[in-house]
Amino acid sequence: MKHAIIMTGGKQYRVAEGDVIFVEKLDVEAGETVKFDKVLAVFGAPVIDGATVSANVVKNGKGKKVRVYKMKPKKGYRRTQGHRQPYTKVQIETINA
């Protein structure tokens, strides 16, 4: 089974053919194919020329809500804020090295 290390959204992912991963939001619709051209051989190695990883976009969505609470004691300052990180769910199709 082929394994590759791809880089997208400022993060590195170890993938194999058939894997389903959640990456930072991409500007593609569900059902489209996306190619990752930043393929690393090993951690910290430079980008391999000509290597690509093809993936099929399964869906776009938002993660679970994260609550951010700020408080300063004895000052009456309290703030609650929520955040939902957008993501793209992709399925790895082929690894071309």
Side-chain angles (χ1 to χ4, degrees):
M1 183 180 274
K2 287 186 184 178
H3 290 278
I5 299 168
I6 62 172
M7 191 169 179
T8 180
K11 299 179 180 89
Q12 296 176 359
Y13 300 91
R14 181 177 158 259
V15 297
E17 293 179 357
D19 283 355
V20 176
I21 60 172
F22 293 89
V23 298
E24 295 294 320
K25 182 154 171 57
L26 303 172
D27 290 331
V28 291
E29 296 296 322
E32 292 184 22
T33 302
V34 64
K35 286 196 178 200
F36 299 106
D37 55 354
K38 290 188 179 179
V39 179
L40 307 175
V42 291
F43 289 108
V47 176
I48 298 173
D49 292 331
T52 60
V53 174
S54 298
N56 186 23
V57 176
V58 178
K59 74 172 197 172
N60 291 315
K62 288 185 178 182
K64 291 191 175 189
K65 183 170 278 198
V66 176
R67 298 280 182 186
V68 179
Y69 182 72
K70 297 179 181 181
M71 181 186 130
K72 295 192 179 179
K74 297 179 267 185
K75 302 296 180 193
Y77 175 81
R78 293 185 176 101
R79 295 288 179 267
T80 302
Q81 183 179 5
H83 175 74
R84 292 182 69 190
Q85 184 70 23
Y87 68 85
T88 300
K89 182 178 178 181
V90 297
Q91 181 173 13
I92 305 301
E93 299 284 325
T94 59
I95 298 173
N96 303 318

